[in-house]
Amino acid sequence: MFTKLRITNFKSWADTGNVPLTPITGLFGTNSSGKTSILQFLLALKQTVESTDRTQVFNLGDKRTIVDLGTFFDIIYEHNTNGSLSFDLEWKLQDPLHLEPSIYKKKIGKLHFNASIKQQTTNELPGKLYVEDLGYNIPGETFSIQLTHNNTGEGYELNAPHIQLKRQRGRAWDIPAPVRFYGFPDEIFAYYQNVSWLSEFALSIEKLFSRLYYLGPIREYPGRSYSWSGEVPRDVDRRGEATVAALLASRAKGKTITRGRGRGHKKQTVEERVAEWLKEMGLIYDFNLHQIAPNRKEYELRIKITQESPEVLITDVGFGMAQILPVLVLCYYVPEGSILLFEQPEIHLHPKVQYILADVFIDIAKTRNIQVILESHSEHILQRFQRRAAEDPTLGNLMSFYFTHINNGQSKIQNLILDEFGNIKNWPEDFFGDEMGEVSARLRAEMQRKNITS
C-alpha cells in the first residue's frame, strides 16, 4: 500500500510536494488540472516494471500499453529536456524484509524509494533516458547509487553511509547503469562481497506494482454474448473487456470473499457480492450469467430489473449497468492487499449509484485491505465519504482527499482537511461550481418574472 508520493517536473507538475496516501485517496479538481497525470505516472512506473527490456529506464508507452505518454519532451515540465524527472515513493510491505543480521537487525515494514531520470543530450531525437541516481531508505540507513563522472548513463558509485561496503580484490571497475529505474545492476554483486541482499529492494518494488490494477473512464460497450474458454484474467482490463471472463474464472475456481468481520462474517462468491451491490443500487433484481448451450464457449449475461419483469440481455438495459459492473467485479476479483486506480468511476451513473459506490470503496478498504486511489468529478461520491466519516469516527484515518487546480501554469494540490464530523474545513472556492450562486440566480429570475407578470 502506498503511503506517500512526490513527483517533480512531470507534465504540469513542477512539484507535487509530499502527498500522503491513505487506503482511500480521492483526487478532485477542475478539468486539465493535473489529477489524471498522477495516475498516469504510477501507471508508467507499472509498465516499466513489467517491461521485458531491463535497460528501459522509464517506459513512456505506445498503443499497446496502459498509457502512452509520448516522449520525454512531452512529459517533462515546461518541455525542459535538460531537467530531471524526480520522484519519491513510500509504501508498506506485505511481508517485512529481513536483511543480513550483520547489516540490519530489524524487520523492515516500510520502504522509501527515490529516483531521478534525465535524457542524454545528443543530436538524436529523442535522446536515451538514464538514471541520475536512485536510493532506498530504511530507518537509519540509505542504499543508493549515483552517476559520478559523465552524463552517458554509465559510471555509478554505490553508497551506504553507515555500512562498510567491501570491494572484491582486483581492479575497481565502474558500476554500470541500473536495471530499469529501480534495480541495482547485476555486476554490483560481483564487485562487492556483502551486498547480495540489495536485490530484495528491487523485488519489493516489483511486488508492489504487481498488485496495482487500473480501470479507465471509457468502458467497453456491453455485448449480446461473451466468449470464454477457461482463461483466468489478472483483472478486468483497462476498459472492462475482461469483466465477464473474470466472473466466470472466479466461478470456476470457486473463489469466495468474506463479508463482515468476527462472528457475523459470511462467505460469498464474487457474483453474489456483486449482485448484492447492484440490488442495493436499485439497478437489478437479479442477474444470470449462463452458457448458451452445453459444450459451447459463448455465454449470455441476462438481467431482471424487477421481480416481475422478464430477463433481458445486458445490452437491453441502461448503459449505466455496463459501466458499474466492471468497477464492482474489479473490487472483489483482485487479491486482498491490491491497489486499485480508478479514473472517473462515476461516468454514466445515476447520483444514487454514485453515493453507494463510495460505500463499495469503504467496504473493500475495510474488509479486503485494498487501497483505492480515484480521480473523480463526483460531488456525490465525496458527500457519501463525508457522511460516513461523520457516522464513524474511525474512518477519518482511512480517507484523504485532495483538490487540484492550475495556478500560473502549474498544477497545485491542496489537502482537503476533514474534521471529526465529516466537514471539509478548507473548502476551495468553486470546488464543484457555484451551487449557491446558481440557486440565487434562479430565485432572482423567478422574482423578476413574477414582478413583471403582476
Side-chain angles (χ1 to χ4, degrees):
M1 179 181 295
F2 292 109
T3 56
K4 193 177 294 182
L5 171 67
R6 180 172 189 164
I7 310 170
T8 305
N9 291 333
F10 181 71
K11 290 199 167 183
S12 58
W13 292 99
D15 191 347
T16 61
N18 286 321
V19 180
L21 303 177
T22 51
I24 297 173
T25 301
L27 302 171
F28 300 89
T30 57
N31 289 329
S32 303
S33 60
K35 56 188 184 299
T36 304
S37 298
I38 295 175
L39 301 189
Q40 289 178 336
F41 184 80
L42 292 174
L43 292 172
L45 295 183
K46 176 179 175 62
Q47 64 194 29
T48 304
V49 169
E50 296 178 349
S51 170
T52 57
D53 185 356
R54 286 161 50 91
T55 66
Q56 191 168 37
V57 170
F58 192 71
N59 187 350
L60 294 169
D62 54 34
K63 294 180 180 179
R64 299 167 296 176
T65 54
I66 308 173
V67 289
D68 182 1
L69 300 177
T71 66
F72 193 71
F73 174 86
D74 296 319
I75 66 165
I76 196 68
Y77 178 67
E78 293 188 334
H79 302 310
N80 178 18
T81 54
N82 293 319
S84 299
L85 170 61
S86 304
F87 57 97
D88 295 64
L89 295 173
E90 186 179 87
W91 68 98
K92 291 180 181 177
L93 302 173
Q94 281 191 318
D95 302 308
L97 281 182
H98 300 266
L99 304 185
E100 292 182 6
S102 60
I103 298 296
Y104 199 83
K105 294 182 173 63
K106 300 177 183 178
K107 292 182 181 179
I108 302 170
K110 183 186 291 186
L111 272 179
H112 182 278
F113 172 80
N114 63 274
S116 182
I117 296 169
K118 295 195 72 171
Q119 185 180 59
Q120 288 182 7
T121 304
T122 66
N123 294 327
E124 299 178 8
L125 293 176
K128 181 181 177 182
L129 302 185
Y130 64 92
V131 175
E132 193 173 27
D133 58 73
L134 69 84
Y136 291 87
N137 303 281
I138 59 177
E141 188 55 276
T142 298
F143 306 96
S144 63
I145 58 174
Q146 293 90 29
L147 193 60
T148 56
H149 55 263
N150 57 50
N151 64 348
T152 62
E154 297 179 358
Y156 289 80
E157 181 178 66
L158 177 65
N159 290 292
H162 303 104
I163 294 176
Q164 184 179 359
L165 300 173
K166 298 179 181 178
R167 271 270 194 177
Q168 298 283 12
R169 291 185 177 181
R171 180 177 172 182
W173 298 95
D174 282 343
I175 296 173
V179 176
R180 303 187 180 95
F181 65 85
Y182 60 90
F184 294 97
D186 295 338
E187 290 83 352
I188 215 169
F189 306 113
Y191 295 170
Y192 289 87
Q193 299 177 22
N194 59 337
V195 296
S196 59
W197 37 269
L198 283 178
S199 59
E200 295 293 328
F201 292 137
L203 183 59
S204 295
I205 279 194
E206 291 170 357
K207 288 180 178 178
L208 173 70
F209 282 97
S210 73
R211 304 196 309 270
L212 188 147
Y213 304 90
Y214 166 74
L215 182 62
I218 308 300
R219 277 144 239 164
E220 195 81 356
Y221 198 82
R224 301 192 72 83
S225 65
Y226 296 87
S227 179
W228 184 70
S229 54
E231 64 274 13
V232 180
R234 288 187 68 248
D235 54 19
V236 300
D237 286 342
R238 55 183 157 174
R239 293 171 58 95
E241 307 98 309
T243 298
V244 170
L247 282 172
L248 291 169
S250 69
R251 179 195 293 179
K253 292 171 62 178
K255 178 182 174 66
T256 60
I257 54 177
T258 302
R259 180 179 179 183
R261 295 293 184 187
R263 297 180 62 182
H265 80 279
K266 65 176 181 178
K267 296 285 187 180
Q268 293 180 298
T269 65
V270 175
E271 288 179 73
E272 289 171 340
R273 190 68 180 116
V274 168
E276 275 191 350
W277 281 117
L278 291 173
K279 289 178 185 178
E280 187 168 340
M281 291 171 176
L283 293 174
I284 68 164
Y285 172 75
D286 195 11
F287 79 83
N288 178 21
L289 178 58
H290 68 274
Q291 200 170 16
I292 291 177
N295 302 314
R296 294 278 299 275
K297 63 178 182 178
E298 290 79 23
Y299 291 77
E300 288 181 339
L301 181 56
R302 291 187 168 271
I303 309 292
K304 286 191 73 170
I305 303 299
T306 66
Q307 187 174 4
E308 298 79 18
S309 63
E311 279 191 343
V312 295
L313 291 174
I314 189 174
T315 51
D316 299 325
V317 298
F319 192 59
M321 176 67 184
Q323 295 298 290
I324 189 61
L325 188 61
V327 178
L328 296 177
V329 173
L330 181 65
C331 286
Y332 293 97
Y333 179 74
V334 297
E336 291 193 10
S338 297
I339 303 165
L340 302 184
L341 303 187
F342 289 106
E343 191 174 346
Q344 298 183 48
E346 74 278 2
I347 282 183
H348 295 295
L349 300 183
H350 185 274
K352 176 186 176 181
V353 178
Q354 295 181 41
Y355 282 127
I356 298 175
L357 182 56
D359 288 334
V360 174
F361 293 149
I362 292 172
D363 179 63
I364 61 173
K366 292 176 65 176
T367 65
R368 307 199 68 226
N369 191 32
I370 284 179
Q371 182 174 31
V372 175
I373 303 174
L374 66 122
E375 178 263 300
S376 174
H377 295 288
S378 174
E379 184 176 4
H380 308 294
I381 288 178
L382 181 58
Q383 286 179 345
R384 180 55 60 91
F385 283 141
Q386 291 178 263
R387 171 186 165 183
R388 296 307 187 211
E391 294 170 342
D392 182 356
T394 65
L395 291 180
N397 294 328
L398 197 72
M399 302 184 291
S400 60
F401 308 115
Y402 298 92
F403 177 72
T404 63
H405 62 283
I406 295 291
N407 183 18
N408 294 325
Q410 294 184 18
S411 291
K412 300 291 184 181
I413 192 164
Q414 177 182 350
N415 184 11
L416 301 178
I417 302 171
L418 208 65
D419 69 15
E420 59 182 318
F421 303 109
N423 300 307
I424 293 176
K425 297 166 66 175
N426 57 335
W427 192 271
E429 185 178 356
D430 292 340
F431 185 5
F432 284 113
D434 185 6
E435 182 178 357
M436 290 304 298
E438 291 292 318
V439 173
S440 298
R442 179 175 58 80
L443 290 174
R444 285 196 302 270
E446 179 181 351
M447 293 172 63
Q448 289 173 359
R449 290 182 62 187
K450 285 182 177 178
N451 288 336
I452 292 173
T453 57
S454 62

